[in-house]
């Protein structure tokens, strides 16, 4: 690992787990390597770790805290002399540190005159664990002898090939008709973006093997076949997406035979017939915690298509940021898209004191949606409401009940972060926002979040308590009011089922769904959207994130379910429990083999399986300020998820997958060292 940019100030952080005789210790040591003493300063740090507001702090004090942004002050009159150090230790965190990326990854010093000084930060060290810190994708080596003769991920339904043909230089695509021409053009765009110098698509004059694209009616919408002959290949399908998937399979076979001729071949004859096991094969990407520019999104979509994934769940808003342009409310991006010292949103999750962030303007969104469509990917935008709205409320503070008092706190440590369901202004703003969103996303699936509303939400709002009295009676309102100023959400999202918060959220969601249905849209939500059973099941779907058992129960109640349990399909979770691995740990950990072999419908009844839409991995971005960490956490697990979505369970094989996965592209091209 490398230290951050040069500075006269250095920060080292150390983690000591709790023992029987001593509480946990998160120690931060600031060293002044300049020639000048420093006084009247505050040390500002951010990273996934959250110092608990009630923590005992030794050597200083916690003077401000918003989620993972903490300001620590030394004792009054303290002077940090040149070449001296100051250590402050917090004995209380919102969750114990498990991996090196949990600790502070950005710091700066704020001076009394309002200026800031940069601080170089080293990765957090854990007591007793000095293993080299890992980053970069784990690339499985391609073996000399593989279980199969061709390289294809995800593996097809039926492979009946024989013989060994000379490996083509590339493919000369012969397309007739609009669907075939569109598939050929998209495949050319895809391989040019992922493997630009390999010339996978090239004319016959440059050695391209003729590949004919043929439309046929006896295929499903994503199905295809490939027939091999001595002098040409024929790819058949009913529609553009099937033809594109056939070409992707062909391209993977070519690359395998070209790069590893001792292991893989290009067949002389035979046929491959293929179609996906599941209709929903998705990936979620959180762009609120860390921003990804359109160039990154574009390449990510290409990688999704190369894995035959077909749903992109774009998480565009959260407490930490708002990332999509809304003409009616420019402050959403003017304020909500940026973080920095002195701004309404402070540095969070590793962003520094300078103004940083970004958002997608409407032209960029349209370009992303159009590209995704060409690649066979439907885009589902998420505007996360009524919780996770801290950034939105900083931009539009008039949405708050003006008489609201006290606090409630979310699981991530954001106070009073929920849109008020009792205010008519809430619906006026949201309907305007959603109308602009709907216009940009033709798939007509709009995800509204509905997750992790704190159990104390709106307990200090007279308007909300009055509405709760109407809905559930005065006793329910009185009980809810008693949750005011009570800190919950320390070690996991509150279970709000049956609470006053759940009653108010249910009313909110029912109204939002009616609005979306009036615009011809299906409403998506995380599993908490089922509280109260008020949303119309025929016009909605849920993402089940807690466990397969919870998802099965919701399917049994009639909800269409996309399975994405955090323990396995959340790709921000670390690959192993080792401190040297990056990532989070609140849901556990999941190595690629565990994810690959996981059964998303284990124990489901046939009736429950009728509501099983498919699978989705979720990329939450909290630990991913380092793009090498992104590559390590996402690859090859995204390909393992893709094979679960495409390949029938009885045809899956971990040994085969492991032999082929090393040929799959990764986003930033950062591979693990050693």
């Amino acid at each position: 690992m490398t230290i951050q940019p040069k500075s006269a100030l250095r920060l080292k952080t150390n983690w000591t787990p709790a023992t029987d005789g001593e509480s946990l210790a998160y120690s931060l040591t600031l060293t002044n390597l300049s020639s000048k003493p420093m006084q009247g300063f505050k040390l500002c740090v951010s990273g996934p770790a959250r110092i608990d507001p009630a923590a005992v702090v030794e050597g200083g004090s916690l003077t401000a805290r918003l989620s993972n942004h903490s300001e620590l002050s030394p004792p009054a009159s303290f002077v940090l002399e040149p070449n001296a150090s100051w250590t402050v230790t917090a004995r209380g965190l919102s969750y114990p540190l498990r991996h090196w990326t949990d600790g502070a990854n950005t710091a700066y010093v704020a001076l009394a005159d309002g200026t800031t000084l940069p601080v170089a930060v080293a990765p957090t060290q854990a007591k007793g664990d000095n293993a080299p810190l890992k980053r970069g994708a784990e690339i499985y080596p391609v073996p000399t002898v593989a279980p199969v003769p061709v390289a294809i991920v995800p593996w097809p339904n039926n492979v009946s090939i024989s013989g060994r043909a000379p490996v083509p230089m590339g493919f000369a695509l012969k397309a007739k008709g609009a669907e075939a021409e569109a598939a050929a053009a998209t495949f050319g765009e895809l391989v040019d973006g992922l493997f630009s110098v390999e010339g996978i698509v090239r004319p016959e004059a440059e050695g391209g093997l003729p590949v004919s694209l043929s439309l046929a009616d006896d295929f499903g919408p994503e199905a295809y076949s490939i027939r091999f002959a001595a002098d040409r290949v024929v790819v058949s399908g009913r529609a553009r997406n099937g033809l594109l998937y056939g070409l992707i399979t062909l391209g993977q076979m070519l690359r395998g035979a070209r790069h590893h001729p001792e292991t893989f071949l290009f067949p002389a004859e035979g046929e491959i017939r293929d179609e996906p096991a599941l209709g929903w094969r998705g990936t979620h990407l959180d762009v609120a915690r860390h921003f990804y520019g359109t160039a990154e999104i574009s390449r990510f979509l290409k990688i999704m298509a190369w894995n035959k994934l077909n749903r992109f769940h774009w998480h565009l808003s959260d407490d930490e940021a708002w990332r999509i342009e809304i003409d009616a409310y420019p402050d959403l991006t003017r304020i909500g898209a940026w973080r920095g010292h002195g701004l309404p949103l402070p540095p969070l999750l590793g962003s520094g004191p300078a103004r940083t962030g970004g958002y997608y303007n409407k032209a960029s969104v349209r370009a992303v949606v159009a590209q995704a469509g060409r690649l066979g990917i439907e885009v589902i935008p998420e505007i996360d409401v009524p919780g996770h709205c801290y950034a939105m409320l900083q931009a539009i503070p008039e949405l708050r009940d003006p008489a609201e008092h006290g606090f409630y706190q979310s699981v991530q440590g954001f106070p009073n972060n929920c849109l008020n369901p009792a205010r008519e202004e809430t619906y006026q703003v949201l309907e305007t926002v959603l109308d602009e969103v709907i216009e940009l996303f033709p798939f007509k699936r709009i995800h509204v979040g509905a997750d992790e509303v704190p159990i104390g939400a709106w307990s200090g709002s007279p308007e909300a308590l009055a509405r709760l009295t109407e809905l559930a009676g005065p006793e329910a309102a009185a009980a809810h009011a008693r949750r005011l100023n009570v800190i919950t959400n320390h070690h996991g999202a509150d279970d709000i089922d049956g609470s006053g918060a759940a009653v108010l959220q249910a009313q909110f969601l029912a109204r939002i769904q009616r609005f979306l249905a009036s615009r011809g849209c299906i409403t998506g939500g995380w599993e908490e959207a089922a509280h109260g059973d008020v949303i119309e099941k025929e016009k909605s779907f849920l993402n089940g994130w807690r466990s397969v058992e919870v998802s099965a129960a919701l399917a049994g109640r009639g909800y269409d379910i996309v399975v994405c349990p955090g323990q396995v399909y959340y790709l921000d979770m670390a690959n192993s429990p080792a401190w040297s691995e990056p990532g989070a740990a609140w849901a556990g950990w999941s190595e690629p083999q565990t994810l690959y072999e996981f059964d998303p419908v284990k124990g489901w009844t046939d009736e429950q399986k009728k509501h099983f839409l498919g699978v989705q991995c979720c990329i939450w971005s909290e630990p991913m300020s380092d793009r090498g960490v992104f590559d390590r956490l996402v690859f090859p697990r995204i390909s393992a998820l893709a094979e679960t979505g495409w390949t029938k369970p009885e045809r899956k094989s971990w040994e085969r997958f492991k032999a082929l996965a090393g040929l799959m592209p990764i986003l930033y091209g950062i591979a693990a060292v050693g």
Side-chain angles (χ1 to χ4, degrees):
M1 290 298 298
T2 57
I3 298 294
Q4 291 184 5
K6 288 185 178 181
S7 167
L9 300 172
R10 298 283 189 273
L11 182 70
K12 291 185 177 181
T13 56
N14 292 87
W15 163 247
T16 304
T19 62
D20 291 339
E22 193 170 3
S23 62
L24 63 83
Y26 178 48
S27 298
L28 303 93
T29 299
L30 179 67
T31 300
N32 181 7
L33 298 178
S34 75
S35 59
K36 297 180 180 180
M38 195 166 63
Q39 187 176 11
F41 64 89
K42 294 179 180 179
L43 173 64
C44 303
V45 298
S46 75
R50 298 190 298 273
I51 298 175
D52 195 288
V56 173
V57 178
E58 301 167 354
S61 58
L62 180 65
T63 50
R65 182 258 202 189
L66 177 70
S67 185
N68 51 77
H69 173 80
S70 297
E71 296 181 3
L72 296 154
S73 298
S77 303
F78 175 83
V79 178
L80 184 59
E81 300 289 352
N83 297 312
S85 298
W86 166 58
T87 297
V88 58
T89 300
R91 296 192 179 275
L93 297 174
S94 295
Y95 57 87
L97 307 191
R98 298 285 189 230
H99 301 281
W100 67 267
T101 49
D102 284 336
N105 50 32
T106 295
Y108 62 96
V109 162
L111 301 176
D113 62 3
T115 60
T116 63
L117 297 174
V119 175
V121 181
T124 300
Q125 302 253 318
K127 182 178 181 180
D129 192 331
N130 296 309
L133 304 183
K134 297 176 181 178
R135 61 190 295 275
E138 190 73 40
I139 307 297
Y140 295 139
V142 175
T144 303
V145 178
V148 288
V150 290
I152 308 169
V153 177
W155 189 251
N157 277 342
N158 185 277
V159 179
S160 301
I161 55 173
S162 61
R164 178 188 291 268
V167 179
M169 297 295 292
F171 301 125
L173 305 184
K174 311 295 183 180
K176 290 184 179 180
E179 290 288 281
E181 290 172 357
T186 298
F187 182 69
E189 172 192 349
L190 179 59
V191 295
D192 186 57
L194 292 177
F195 318 108
S196 59
V197 300
E198 296 189 21
I200 291 175
V201 174
R202 62 176 67 199
E204 289 183 70
E206 295 184 14
L209 176 68
V211 175
S212 299
L213 304 185
S214 171
L215 291 175
D217 292 332
D218 58 338
F219 288 90
E222 296 182 300
Y224 67 89
S225 73
I226 308 174
R227 297 191 303 278
F228 297 89
D231 59 348
R232 69 175 48 247
V233 174
V234 177
V235 178
S236 299
R238 190 178 84 188
R240 179 185 60 181
N241 287 350
L243 294 173
L244 175 61
Y245 289 144
L247 288 171
I248 288 169
T249 294
L250 202 58
Q252 290 181 354
M253 295 170 70
L254 172 62
R255 296 193 74 246
R258 176 185 289 173
H259 292 286
H260 298 276
E262 75 287 355
T263 304
F264 302 116
L265 56 78
F266 194 85
E269 58 185 4
E271 184 179 26
I272 292 174
R273 293 190 69 88
D274 198 13
E275 64 180 338
L278 301 176
W280 191 296
R281 306 177 307 279
T283 297
H284 153 289
L285 179 63
D286 160 27
V287 299
R289 275 56 180 263
H290 289 295
F291 183 65
Y292 300 81
T294 52
E296 293 166 288
I297 299 295
S298 176
R299 179 170 169 83
F300 186 70
L301 290 171
K302 292 183 178 76
I303 291 173
M304 285 182 62
W306 199 250
N307 283 274
K308 300 187 177 79
L309 295 165
N310 68 348
R311 300 287 187 269
F312 177 49
H313 178 165
W314 203 1
H315 188 85
L316 291 164
S317 74
D318 215 298
D319 291 307
E320 292 86 350
W322 181 280
R323 300 297 192 195
I324 183 170
E325 179 181 35
I326 301 296
D327 294 334
Y329 300 104
D331 280 353
L332 284 170
T333 50
R334 187 182 68 83
I335 293 174
W338 307 96
R339 303 197 288 256
H341 181 71
L343 298 180
L345 292 169
L348 295 164
L349 294 166
S351 58
R355 181 177 180 266
T356 57
Y359 66 92
Y360 308 101
N361 63 32
K362 290 191 172 182
S364 295
V365 172
R366 291 189 179 99
V368 166
V369 170
Q371 180 193 10
R374 294 193 299 274
L375 294 170
I377 298 168
E378 301 286 3
V379 184
I380 300 98
E382 180 180 353
I383 303 298
D384 199 351
V385 291
H388 288 287
C389 285
Y390 188 83
M392 185 180 187
L393 287 165
Q394 297 307 297
I396 314 178
E398 55 268 29
L399 288 177
R400 297 189 184 278
D401 178 351
E404 186 170 10
H405 61 284
F407 75 89
Y408 56 86
Q409 182 172 281
S410 76
V411 63
Q412 286 84 13
F414 287 94
N416 304 347
N417 71 329
C418 300
L419 300 183
N420 197 313
R423 308 205 80 215
E424 192 59 30
E425 293 89 341
T426 295
Y427 303 100
Q428 293 170 357
V429 169
L430 269 185
E431 289 175 7
T432 301
V433 167
L434 291 172
D435 266 336
E436 292 196 30
V437 170
I438 290 166
E439 188 270 331
L440 295 169
F441 294 93
F443 189 42
K444 300 299 183 184
R445 267 74 173 168
I446 307 296
H447 203 289
V448 297
D451 61 313
E452 296 185 329
V453 168
I455 199 168
W458 315 296
S459 53
S461 164
E463 291 181 358
L465 293 172
R467 181 63 54 83
L468 184 56
T469 300
E470 295 172 8
L471 295 170
E475 291 184 6
H480 192 58
R482 288 194 290 271
R483 299 191 190 278
L484 187 64
N485 299 331
V486 176
I487 295 179
T488 59
N489 279 311
H490 276 266
H491 306 292
D494 285 335
D495 181 0
I496 70 170
D497 203 16
S499 70
V503 172
L504 289 166
Q505 176 178 261
Q507 182 217 21
F508 169 89
L509 290 174
R511 180 162 172 180
I512 293 299
Q513 188 192 39
R514 286 196 301 272
F515 171 78
L516 289 173
S518 75
R519 299 298 196 262
C521 295
I522 299 295
T523 300
W526 301 99
E527 64 189 42
E528 292 96 322
H531 288 315
D533 276 331
V534 297
I535 60 174
E536 292 186 58
K537 298 180 177 68
E538 298 77 15
K539 299 176 182 177
S540 65
F541 69 91
L542 300 179
N543 292 91
W545 64 271
R546 290 179 188 269
S547 68
V548 165
E549 292 76 18
V550 171
S551 293
L554 290 168
R557 286 159 55 185
Y559 290 99
D560 287 345
I561 298 291
V562 177
V563 173
C564 47
Q567 306 93 328
V568 185
Y569 287 172
Y570 273 28
L571 300 191
D572 55 317
M573 297 299 118
N575 281 281
S576 88
W579 174 264
S580 57
E581 286 283 2
W586 60 264
W589 60 273
S590 173
E591 62 183 352
Q593 184 174 357
T594 301
L595 190 154
Y596 182 86
E597 295 176 345
F598 182 76
D599 181 356
V601 289
K602 184 178 181 180
W604 287 40
T605 67
D606 290 341
E607 190 63 29
Q608 288 169 332
K609 289 178 182 178
K610 292 177 181 177
H611 294 283
F612 174 51
L613 296 181
V615 294
Q616 177 175 294
C617 59
C618 296
I619 303 172
W620 299 101
S621 294
E622 285 95 332
M624 297 181 184
S625 57
D626 180 335
R627 294 315 203 221
V629 168
F630 185 102
D631 275 356
R632 184 168 192 83
L633 291 173
V634 174
F635 305 101
R637 291 193 292 184
I638 194 172
S639 295
L641 182 281
E643 190 145 315
T644 294
W646 186 279
T647 307
K648 287 182 169 58
E650 64 271 16
R651 294 188 61 78
K652 292 179 66 179
S653 162
W654 167 251
E655 290 306 315
R656 181 196 65 230
F657 173 82
K658 188 176 181 181
L660 307 180
L663 284 161
M664 300 300 281
I666 59 180
L667 185 57
Y668 298 103
I670 302 172
V673 177

